[in-house]
Amino acid sequence: MSTSSDFHPLNICVLTISDTRTFNNDTSGNTLQALLEEAGHTAYDRKLIKDDIYQMRAAVSHWIADTQAQVILMTGGTGFAGRDSTPEAIHPLLDKTIDGYGELFRQLSYDDIGTSTIQSRAFAGLANRTLIFALPGSTGACTLGFSQIIKSQIDSRTKPCNFYGQIKL
């Protein structure tokens, strides 16, 4: 039986959405993988795909259906540029949205980028008991989002609440 002081590592997938990046220059994906591993979690799978709604849905749907994938960290496609379509691709897959994540991300981001934070469409939600976080494509935004929000919310020891009990176990 586990106690509230036990740490439970999670299987986390990282998805980079970009028309220009490759695994060789994917600093945001590399950063997310390093941060999740540093926090004690497992990098379960990693993909890099073009900013295409159907490719995003296919990759995320695969992980949602995978009984071992517990968390998905997505980076890229959350802005307002012409091909940015991560919210449009993923929102239909969500069972529940976590509205507070996007609100808090933009609040924290304000200190770094000022009012430009209103152009971030960062979001989070649950689908088939898989926790999904969509972050902007910048390395700084990925570091901020993971270090200041996600890390504690995927840690089973965080009180008064965290998402550990809401995901596939």
Side-chain angles (χ1 to χ4, degrees):
M1 183 83 174
S2 65
T3 65
S4 61
S5 63
D6 290 339
F7 175 77
H8 299 280
L10 301 175
N11 290 330
I12 302 179
C13 304
V14 176
L15 177 62
T16 300
I17 295 110
S18 175
D19 290 337
T20 59
R21 292 191 186 164
T22 66
F23 281 112
N24 292 334
N25 65 7
D26 180 18
T27 56
S28 295
N30 292 340
T31 296
L32 286 173
Q33 183 169 343
L35 288 169
L36 73 89
E37 289 174 345
E38 182 180 295
H41 300 289
T42 301
Y44 180 69
D45 198 2
R46 184 166 168 196
K47 296 179 190 292
L48 192 151
I49 61 173
K50 299 285 184 203
D51 199 332
D52 176 87
I53 288 174
Y54 302 102
Q55 288 183 34
M56 280 186 264
R57 285 182 186 161
V60 172
S61 292
H62 172 78
W63 288 328
I64 290 169
D66 184 332
T67 59
Q68 299 302 306
Q70 297 169 298
V71 179
I72 301 168
L73 302 178
M74 304 173 61
T75 176
T78 60
F80 281 94
R83 291 192 38 86
D84 288 340
S85 56
T86 301
E88 291 77 14
I90 305 306
H91 275 149
L93 303 177
L94 300 177
D95 299 324
K96 293 184 179 182
T97 59
I98 304 168
D99 297 331
Y101 167 76
E103 295 164 359
L104 181 56
F105 178 85
R106 285 180 284 281
Q107 177 187 357
L108 295 170
S109 180
Y110 179 82
D111 291 337
D112 291 336
I113 64 171
T115 59
S116 294
T117 194
I118 67 169
Q119 293 192 36
S120 168
R121 298 187 299 152
F123 67 93
L126 282 163
N128 191 33
R129 300 196 64 183
T130 304
L131 192 55
I132 301 167
F133 292 97
L135 297 132
S138 80
T139 304
C142 288
T143 300
L144 179 140
F146 188 88
S147 299
Q148 294 191 40
I149 306 170
I150 299 168
K151 180 180 176 182
S152 62
Q153 284 299 295
I154 61 173
D155 188 326
S156 55
R157 302 167 295 187
T158 299
K159 300 296 175 204
C161 60
N162 59 69
F163 283 104
Y164 180 76
Q166 305 300 317
I167 61 173
K168 298 179 236 178
L169 299 176

